[in-house]
Each structure stands twice: as C-alpha cells, then as structure tokens.
Amino acid sequence: MMMNSSIYMRKDVSISSNIDYSSPSAAFTFDVNKSTLFKKDSRNYINILGVEQLNTLENTSLLDIFLSKDNVIEPHYHQNAAELVYCIAGAATVSLLNPFTKKIQNYPIKPGQVANVPQGWWHYEVATEDDTHLLAIFDAPTPEVILGSDILKFTPANIMAHTYCLDEEQWKKTIAPIVPTTYIGPAKGCNRVQSATDQAPYKPTMPQQYMKPCPYPYPYRYPPMYPYGTYY
C-alpha cells in the first residue's frame, strides 16, 4: 500500500518565520531550571522560558511555578497573551475577574487539570497545598505582565485619592508595606496582623458552569510594557 507523503495544510493558516534554522546559533533545547525569574525562597519561585532563552521559539513561552501552601501569584494581567495554567503537583485555585460579568470566578485545579485565562484578564493563583507545581503556558514568545503591586505602588497617591475620594495620607500609609514587583506574596518579612477573615480557611467558590472564553468585542490598547525579566 502506497502512502501519500504530501503534507496537508489548512488554507487559512500560513507559515512564516524569521528564524534561520540552519544557523549555528539556532538553539533547540534549554534547561529551564537555570532561568529563574523570581525567587522568594527555596519553596516559592518561578522559572521562565521564552524566546530570549530559546531563540527558535515562536508564539510559545512558559513559566514554571513552585509554591507552598497559601502562597499567591499576585494579582496581575498579561497584555500580550492568554495563559493556560496546568497543575503538575499539589493544588491551586486560579481566580480571574471576568470583565463581562464583573465577577470573580474561582477554579480549583489538581494534577492533570487546567484553567484558562484569556488575554488581558485580571487574575491570580493561590496554592492550596504544599509542594504545588504549576506550568503557565502563553501564546506569545515572551509573556508581558502588569503587576498589581506596581499599580498600587507607582500610581501617584494624589491621583488615587482624587479619583476614588480617598484620604491621601491614609492611602500612603495603607500601601507603604507593599513591595514593588512582589510576584509571590505575602512578601518575605510580612508581619501583618491577621484579621478574622484571614484566620478562616480559604474556601474558593466553585464555578457554576464552565464558560468558554469569549473574545473582547473590540481590541484593547495597552500601554507599552517590558516583558518578564526586563520589567524596568
């Protein structure tokens, strides 16, 4: 029986690349363990793989995330990529703010399960078990990020106070403990007094129904930001 060796391709998909795969500098393998983006301690850290680490990557990148219980990947959003969070070990809750319903949606995931965060959606992840290992996969060569800690810390206090009818001095006092570019919270050295709410067990609300991510009705224009690893 003869086999057809032709490669069939969708007519609506075109392949174009500026990568010179014949170049001696073209890299096809990389040790992600050697590319740390952020490290809080030996149990809470993030490794990164993007086009800067592996130059033959195109629209793919990832973060290799390790967390102990109750540690949080701080609230943030990715202006250039969607994020698929895959749980390898432990357990976590992926929470996102749906801009269409104006509601927080919480998705607990365990090994083998995923949660999808559409591009530009505000979200965060909370480890609910020790030794949690997550893989965050992006459809961009390098994921860009805007972090909640930086929004809070670097937006001028007078603007926040005027816009949201706040006491400016009280606002400055409130955000004083925030560490810019926190990535994994609580930040080391946090000695905040716990409230009754903090002492209660973390119980995320279960999603009522799986929602297929829908595209934005109009493209959002984001301010230019630097990618992971070169934020400033």
Side-chain angles (χ1 to χ4, degrees):
M1 179 178 179
M2 294 188 64
M3 298 184 64
N4 191 335
S5 60
S6 299
I7 298 176
Y8 292 92
M9 297 180 59
R10 286 172 48 189
K11 294 181 180 179
D12 60 334
V13 175
S14 62
I15 295 179
S16 62
S17 174
N18 295 321
I19 300 171
D20 181 2
Y21 293 106
S22 65
S23 170
S25 63
F28 299 93
T29 185
F30 183 80
D31 186 351
V32 183
N33 297 301
K34 297 179 179 179
S35 179
T36 300
L37 167 67
F38 179 85
K39 187 171 185 178
K40 175 181 175 179
D41 53 42
S42 61
R43 300 176 65 195
N44 297 276
Y45 58 94
I46 306 170
N47 293 331
I48 185 171
L49 177 68
V51 71
E52 291 185 13
Q53 290 76 32
L54 189 61
N55 61 16
T56 54
L57 284 178
E58 294 192 69
N59 290 323
T60 305
S61 52
L62 62 84
L63 296 178
D64 200 18
I65 302 169
F66 299 84
L67 300 170
S68 55
K69 186 177 180 181
D70 296 330
N71 276 263
V72 182
I73 299 297
E74 68 163 310
H76 63 283
Y77 67 87
H78 306 286
Q79 67 271 38
N80 74 325
E83 175 181 354
L84 184 66
V85 184
Y86 177 80
C87 184
I88 298 173
T93 297
V94 179
S95 299
L96 54 87
L97 173 61
N98 187 319
F100 299 99
T101 64
K102 310 299 183 185
K103 294 181 180 180
I104 293 289
Q105 297 171 196
N106 301 299
Y107 297 97
I109 56 174
K110 293 184 177 181
Q113 298 178 333
V114 301
N116 186 48
V117 182
Q119 179 178 341
W121 285 29
W122 188 250
H123 64 285
Y124 50 93
E125 294 91 19
V126 181
T128 53
E129 292 183 10
D130 281 331
D131 302 314
T132 290
H133 185 188
L134 305 175
L135 192 65
I137 306 164
F138 303 89
D139 57 350
T142 299
E144 297 174 349
V145 65
I146 296 178
L147 301 171
S149 57
D150 289 344
I151 291 175
L152 293 172
K153 198 71 175 181
F154 299 131
T155 302
N158 65 315
I159 294 297
M160 296 296 281
H162 177 69
T163 304
Y164 302 111
C165 195
L166 304 172
D167 181 283
E168 184 175 340
E169 293 306 313
Q170 186 63 41
W171 173 253
K172 290 179 179 178
K173 181 179 179 181
T174 299
I175 66 169
I178 294 177
V179 177
T181 317
T182 295
Y183 280 117
I184 300 176
K188 290 182 69 174
C190 175
N191 55 4
R192 177 177 58 88
V193 176
Q194 288 190 329
S195 66
T197 302
D198 295 325
Q199 294 167 2
Y202 178 73
K203 294 182 179 180
T205 57
M206 294 293 290
Q208 295 181 354
Q209 184 179 3
Y210 172 77
M211 296 182 63
K212 183 179 179 180
C214 51
Y216 291 114
Y218 300 100
Y220 284 92
R221 293 186 179 274
Y222 297 102
M225 290 295 296
Y226 296 100
Y228 272 114
T230 57
Y231 195 78
Y232 298 106

